Amino acid sequence: VKITRPDASRIDDVKPLWLALYAHHSSIADWPVRTPEESWEKRRRVYADVVDEGGILLFAEEDDGTVVGLALAEQEDGGSPTWSYPKDFVAIIDLIVLPEHRGKGVGEQLMAEVEEEARRRGVAALDLMVVNTNDVAIRFYERLGFRTDLRTMRKPL
Ligand SMILES: CC(C)(COP(=O)(O)OP(=O)(O)OC[C@H]1O[C@@H](n2cnc3c(N)ncnc32)[C@H](O)[C@@H]1OP(=O)(O)O)[C@@H](O)C(=O)NCCC(=O)NCCS
């Protein structure tokens, strides 16, 4: 596959990948889910906004233009009142590879390109959030050098 930087006109190519992440998310935690259509409608707006605001959208494409993986990321300023680190960072919002294309290094290729773009921008870190039960993804990110620092906790009411 080759990694490309699509423009906003290709956002609807994201839908099958988003629905694959939606299915994956539904399977790793038993929280109530939205309908697939409602889920995509919400997420489509995020993709459009991030691209509009100069974010990073990458596709992993086959020669015929089929999109088998994607990464969406945006640049943010560090907001901690205590720590001046990281001054700024690139936050990975979504990383998705279609199920039948996983385990072949596509995710790693996408992450390498996100990291290269983050280095080009001169930011101090790469950040991401991952569901605590997403073991494959956590192991994958740890292999790429990510470590847990902040931890989100929740008490259902
Ligand atoms: C996480 C993800 C993007 C990794 O992409 P990938 O292209 O499979 O990445 P790689 O080929 O480098 O392999 C990732 C790991 O999956 C394992 N793997 C192998 N075959 C696999 C398969 N058929 N299905 C899933 N994972 C497989 C690999 O062994 C590898 O393990 P390691 O990191 O411990 O070495 C991909 O699994 C995915 O899309 N998952 C669902 C969406 C998701 O959870 N995204 C992250 C949300 S924060």
Side-chain angles (χ1 to χ4, degrees):
V1 297
K2 61 174 189 290
I3 308 298
T4 60
R5 294 281 299 259
D7 61 26
S9 70
R10 294 195 65 195
I11 281 175
D12 286 313
D13 289 4
V14 170
K15 186 175 179 182
L17 288 108
W18 172 256
L19 292 179
L21 181 60
Y22 165 89
H24 180 67
H25 275 158
S26 311
S27 74
I28 57 171
D30 53 9
W31 306 322
V33 291
R34 302 178 190 281
T35 65
E37 281 309 318
E38 184 192 358
S39 176
W40 169 238
E41 195 184 310
K42 274 183 86 62
R43 202 49 164 180
R44 193 188 186 287
R45 268 180 255 137
V46 172
Y47 275 80
D49 288 349
V50 170
V51 170
D52 196 44
E53 289 159 13
I56 304 163
L57 177 61
L58 302 175
F59 281 173
E61 287 188 51
E62 292 184 318
D63 290 341
D64 65 1
T66 309
V67 183
V68 301
L70 70 77
L72 180 72
E74 70 183 344
Q75 189 169 333
E76 291 182 30
D77 288 327
S80 168
T82 300
W83 300 290
S84 55
Y85 173 86
K87 178 173 66 59
D88 46 17
F89 57 95
V90 162
I92 294 145
I93 303 168
D94 284 336
L95 177 75
I96 316 170
V97 174
L98 288 180
E100 57 276 25
H101 294 271
R102 289 178 195 158
K104 297 177 193 159
V106 176
E108 199 175 329
Q109 251 179 281
L110 285 161
M111 288 294 290
E113 188 57 39
V114 171
E115 183 168 331
E116 209 171 296
E117 174 64 20
R119 288 183 189 280
R120 270 196 293 269
R121 293 178 180 216
V123 297
L126 276 181
D127 276 34
L128 59 85
M129 279 174 62
V130 59
V131 179
N132 204 34
T133 50
N134 199 349
D135 298 326
V136 169
I138 290 169
R139 215 180 43 233
F140 166 81
Y141 291 132
E142 285 180 341
R143 175 161 63 78
L144 299 186
F146 287 79
R147 296 293 176 263
T148 303
D149 53 15
L150 302 178
R151 190 187 296 212
T152 301
M153 298 175 79
R154 175 176 293 154
K155 176 178 175 177
L157 300 178

